[in-house]
Amino acid sequence: MPTPTRIVAILLSALLLAPTGAMAQKQDKPIHMELDHVLVQTSLYTQHYDPDPDHNNHQSLISIELHNSQRWLAGTGWFKNSYDQPTWYWYAGREFPFWQPSKNTLVRGKLTGGLLRGYKDEYRDKIPFNHSGIAPAILPSIGVQWGRVESDLILFGSAGLMITGGMSF
């Protein structure tokens, strides 16, 4: 029987990967490479779906994302992976606005894809396609922006979820 955490993860994944009006529209505009804002964030909470005594739930994430005015982003993050190994994630992605309940608040999805480096030794095969020490990753999330403060619920595959918090500059 699936756990409540896994059910939430499945529903959020379906929500983020389902086509919405903003995602389904054809992009005729070229992407502008001008910087709109920078997001600096850290991990606040991590939960693995199937807890293991080897799992680290204190990732010590620090990440920096560069955003343009068209909601495209690129970033890098450093964290301690599930096995307490220093790991890097280099990525690009896009935000998708879902709902703006007030002028200063936005609920949005985010989808990033990139490369993970850091799963080594006996934990090398814990992530798919990590044959050369670098593996592809796709991370969906749902988040809220309150002015300059942001928080995301990030799903990392079938392994778990993480809640982050950060500030935009």
Side-chain angles (χ1 to χ4, degrees):
M1 172 132 195
T3 65
T5 306
R6 190 167 297 235
I7 291 169
V8 168
I10 291 167
L11 291 174
L12 286 173
S13 294
L15 174 67
L16 287 171
L17 297 175
T20 64
M23 291 189 298
Q25 291 177 356
K26 182 179 177 190
Q27 286 291 325
D28 291 331
K29 298 178 186 176
I31 297 173
H32 295 290
M33 298 304 285
E34 60 195 41
L35 182 65
D36 183 66
H37 68 277
V38 175
L39 172 63
V40 178
Q41 59 188 349
T42 189
S43 52
L44 303 174
Y45 175 80
T46 302
Q47 177 67 51
H48 286 84
Y49 302 136
D50 297 318
D52 181 314
D54 287 342
H55 283 162
N56 166 36
N57 281 322
H58 305 286
Q59 272 54 56
S60 303
L61 169 76
I62 183 74
S63 75
I64 298 173
E65 291 181 357
L66 308 175
H67 292 249
N68 75 4
S69 60
Q70 295 171 305
R71 300 193 177 274
W72 290 99
L73 61 102
T76 188
W78 179 92
F79 60 97
K80 297 275 188 119
N81 68 28
S82 299
Y83 305 98
D84 209 31
Q85 298 174 315
T87 303
W88 285 93
Y89 178 45
W90 297 281
Y91 58 94
R94 186 126 195 242
E95 291 182 331
F96 303 97
F98 291 146
W99 177 47
Q100 189 165 7
S102 71
K103 180 182 174 188
N104 218 21
T105 306
L106 175 68
V107 177
R108 48 114 178 101
K110 191 187 299 184
L111 185 63
T112 66
L115 299 174
L116 275 172
R117 183 175 194 276
Y119 286 79
K120 301 187 258 185
D121 304 323
E122 69 268 26
Y123 303 112
R124 183 181 187 130
D125 295 329
K126 294 293 185 175
I127 58 173
F129 308 110
N130 191 28
H131 307 296
S132 63
I134 297 176
I138 296 175
L139 297 177
S141 64
I142 190 163
V144 178
Q145 297 172 325
W146 301 279
R148 291 181 37 203
V149 176
E150 298 191 28
S151 183
D152 284 288
L153 172 63
I154 302 171
L155 306 174
F156 48 98
S158 61
L161 58 87
M162 176 189 296
I163 297 175
T164 64
M167 294 281 296
S168 293
F169 299 95

